[in-house]
Amino acid sequence: MALLGTKSFQNYIGGEWVDAASGETFESVNPANGDTIGIFPRSSSQDVDRAVAAAKAAYEEWRLVPAPKRGELLFRFAQLLADAKDELTELMSREMGKVLAEAGGDVQEAIDMSFYMAGEGRRLVGHTTPSELRDKFNMSVRMPIGVIGVITPWNFPIAIPSWKIAPALICGNTIVFKPATDTPRLGERFVELLDEAGVPKGVVNVVHGGGGEVGDALVRHPDVPVITLTGSRETGVEVMKRAAENLKHIHLELGGKNAIIVMDDADLDLAVEGIVWSAFGTSGQRCTAASRVIVHERLYDALASRVVAAAEGLRLGAGWEEDTDVGPLINRRAVEKVHSYTEIGRDEGAELLTGGETPTGNAFDRGAFYRPTVFGRVEPGMRIAQEEIFGPTTALIPVAGFEEAVRAANGVKYGLSSSIYTRDVNGAFRAMRDLDTGITYINAGTIGAEVHLPFGGTKDTGNGHREAGQAALDVFTEWKSIYVDYSGKLQKAQIDTAE
Ligand code: NAD
């Protein structure tokens, strides 16, 4: 039930703000103190049907708008995002829990992506290539596909929608966007700004609600040929199964179990800084978070004591308070999940070096906080070293040398990000070659991507696609090969041979 004074929000369908057909709602809650952020429509397949119909109708005109003109709208959107950066940053720290610096980074990523994809409006290059026959011209061009179902998680509530919506739009597609139920207000602001930028009615629609209802209805809808989803591995598997019947294009960006390798010749201070930032930034709730640190035995004790001291020095608190280093987790369920892994780690025989509990005190009572947690002497096969915890927990794994380190790093089902700290240039290049991940950092932690490079992972982190960079365009376009025969006669490829 709506609290007095709490603002209610709506879906955005065909250029109009509307309630869910059922009239049902859900609440978005501040994870630091339990305050209500807003009330949102709990939509169903009926609302999805309306939004898809609006997006399908808008597609017929939008696909014909010249790509440079679509780029101008995205350019304007990027400017509006930049103007609203402070407001969105503050809102993100309240709705999702991130500290201000990181929330600002999240918004900046969307600004960068929108400018980058706006520029793509004047490229979207295809290929020309010679023909094997005389008087014939060959080329291949990118074509838009249609209505794109965009399903996003809560951990990058402005950046991730931009990674999907900006390239999808520049390529000439229309959108039905389902933001995560933990961050609907940010999803809604994203769409308001697109509207303000002048994106035509029906081109971008937002339908709020749960994955099992709105998400599933999008995945099953016959008029949505592409689903782009960032979320957990379990959700990805479910979505692929359900979309199989319609042979949809499914683009999945899923979980990670990312490792930082620290060799015995590493700059220890630099490595510790990178580990703390990568393990505890965003309270460990990044797909690229370093939840494993694979460290050379010779450096193990020195590194463990420094990482523990640094973790214990981090200040927990509300994201919007300037002196907070680590904000809350997204909700209480997440705290329970993270704590269950503390118990699993203990039962498996790993050494709990610090953390492993919720903080006590008035400042934390109403929030979803968990102390930065470090496990020592972890074996690579333990569950805490294999499964995605998605919280501020990292596992220190001692190894005897480079080969063992790479084996441990690769010995998980995920393949998103990896990193190595070493001063040995040969070792660094071997790591670039041998670490089986979509992203590898040398002498830096596992987090922090730039928008003009492909982003995504190998193995169970996805299904072979990439977000960002030029690679993103492949998700949102089909290739068409075009043959123009200007010989004025019937020429048969592979049968007539040109001289
Ligand atoms: P989640 O899988 O629970 O939810 C992601 C989105 O999918 C949400 O919008 C949710 O409502 C929707 N959803 C859930 N079930 C669905 C279904 N059956 N059909 C359609 N949609 C459904 O994930 P989350 O908790 O929001 O996010 C955390 C996960 O996301 C972690 O595993 C993290 O690693 C991953 N992630 C990956 C990347 C990447 O780029 N690889 C980036 C960020 C987060």
Side-chain angles (χ1 to χ4, degrees):
M1 202 174 77
L3 303 174
L4 211 60
T6 302
K7 194 160 180 217
S8 290
F9 297 89
Q10 294 174 299
N11 291 328
Y12 186 62
I13 298 178
E16 285 177 17
W17 295 97
V18 289
D19 291 329
S22 68
E24 287 180 30
T25 58
F26 68 95
E27 230 181 46
S28 171
V29 171
N30 181 328
N33 60 17
D35 284 356
T36 302
I37 299 283
I39 308 289
F40 292 83
R42 185 183 293 284
S43 314
S44 64
S45 59
Q46 243 181 303
D47 305 291
V48 171
D49 287 348
R50 284 190 56 198
V52 172
K56 194 178 171 194
Y59 175 67
E60 287 313 318
E61 171 53 25
W62 181 245
R63 75 188 176 91
L64 301 178
V65 172
K69 289 280 167 222
R70 297 197 293 253
E72 282 170 25
L73 291 178
L74 267 186
F75 192 87
R76 211 171 301 146
F77 171 63
Q79 284 173 319
L80 290 171
L81 274 175
D83 294 345
K85 183 173 173 182
D86 289 348
E87 170 228 321
L88 292 170
T89 299
E90 166 83 15
L91 176 62
M92 194 180 302
S93 75
R94 290 181 189 274
E95 188 171 43
M96 181 274 166
K98 270 185 208 192
V99 300
L100 290 173
E102 292 179 27
D106 189 313
V107 179
Q108 188 58 46
E109 208 162 297
I111 297 168
D112 296 344
M113 179 58 86
S114 304
F115 276 130
Y116 174 67
M117 284 298 164
E120 204 49 52
R122 285 193 183 268
R123 271 187 304 268
L124 278 183
V125 287
H127 306 284
T128 60
T129 185
S131 168
E132 61 189 46
L133 294 168
R134 284 174 186 252
D135 299 329
K136 194 176 170 199
F137 181 81
N138 292 350
M139 61 185 158
S140 53
V141 297
R142 290 186 183 277
M143 297 191 305
I145 306 179
V147 180
I148 313 287
V150 172
I151 304 177
T152 57
W154 45 265
N155 67 334
F156 280 87
I158 292 289
I160 291 182
S162 81
W163 295 359
K164 299 176 183 307
I165 292 174
L169 287 180
I170 201 67
C171 292
N173 303 286
T174 56
I175 311 286
V176 178
F177 170 32
K178 189 207 91 60
T181 45
D182 285 301
T183 51
R185 178 72 179 111
L186 289 157
E188 135 114 22
R189 282 295 289 134
F190 190 91
V191 170
E192 275 174 12
L193 293 175
L194 278 167
D195 180 46
E196 208 178 316
V199 172
K201 290 182 192 321
V203 169
V204 177
N205 306 274
V206 66
V207 182
H208 293 286
E213 299 79 37
V214 176
D216 188 56
L218 270 174
V219 169
R220 292 177 192 270
H221 204 294
D223 290 334
V224 180
V226 181
I227 294 287
T228 172
L229 178 138
T230 297
S232 64
R233 180 187 181 281
E234 293 66 33
T235 301
V237 169
E238 219 24 67
V239 163
M240 267 193 114
K241 281 188 198 157
R242 292 182 188 178
E245 197 57 40
N246 288 313
L247 290 173
K248 293 197 180 197
H249 298 197
I250 299 293
H251 162 229
L252 300 173
E253 297 292 340
L254 308 174
K257 190 68 190 174
N258 315 291
I260 292 179
I261 296 174
V262 184
M263 295 307 297
D264 54 348
D265 63 354
D267 177 333
L268 187 58
D269 291 336
L270 190 66
V272 170
E273 255 187 295
I275 291 164
V276 171
W277 171 230
S278 303
F280 306 125
T282 322
S283 310
Q285 303 170 109
R286 290 189 181 217
C287 49
T288 51
S291 55
R292 299 182 296 154
V293 178
I294 298 169
V295 51
H296 197 290
E297 186 66 66
R298 273 204 285 275
L299 225 58
Y300 179 85
D301 290 334
L303 181 129
S305 60
R306 289 204 205 188
V307 169
V308 168
E312 289 176 351
L314 295 171
R315 285 158 307 197
L316 264 67
W320 60 89
E321 282 163 7
E322 290 288 348
D323 60 351
T324 298
D325 296 313
V326 178
L329 299 187
I330 188 64
N331 52 39
R332 295 268 166 105
R333 275 194 321 285
V335 173
E336 279 164 28
K337 179 182 169 198
V338 170
H339 189 66
S340 76
Y341 275 100
T342 297
E343 282 167 357
I344 290 167
R346 273 207 200 100
D347 292 348
E348 286 178 309
E351 292 172 12
L352 179 60
L353 301 179
T354 188
E357 59 187 7
T358 51
T360 48
N362 287 347
F364 306 116
D365 282 356
R366 293 172 59 218
F369 292 92
Y370 203 76
R371 285 203 183 286
T373 299
V374 182
F375 274 104
R377 298 263 159 223
V378 176
E379 303 278 340
M382 288 179 177
R383 283 183 64 192
I384 55 166
Q386 289 286 323
E387 296 172 20
E388 187 180 47
I389 300 173
F390 223 56
T393 301
T394 199
L396 307 185
I397 302 171
V399 289
F402 180 84
E403 308 295 335
E404 193 183 336
V406 170
R407 222 175 15 255
N410 288 343
V412 292
K413 63 182 170 205
Y414 297 109
L416 185 50
S417 182
S418 57
S419 132
I420 185 166
Y421 283 86
T422 181
R423 290 182 170 113
D424 171 12
V425 69
N426 296 346
F429 270 87
R430 255 182 259 135
M432 289 181 225
R433 183 192 61 196
D434 294 341
L435 288 171
D436 189 0
T437 52
I439 302 164
T440 293
Y441 294 87
I442 307 298
N443 290 324
T446 48
I447 65 179
E450 298 181 33
V451 301
H452 51 301
L453 276 76
F455 182 95
T458 61
K459 301 191 281 187
D460 285 15
T461 291
N463 59 342
H465 299 286
R466 289 293 181 271
E467 208 132 45
Q470 295 289 299
L473 304 176
D474 289 333
V475 173
F476 301 109
T477 52
E478 291 271 20
W479 280 108
K480 175 181 274 191
S481 297
I482 300 174
Y483 301 95
V484 183
D485 191 322
Y486 56 96
S487 68
K489 59 184 184 196
L490 175 65
Q491 298 198 89
K492 300 175 197 140
Q494 288 93 42
I495 294 172
D496 297 336
T497 46
E499 281 153 27

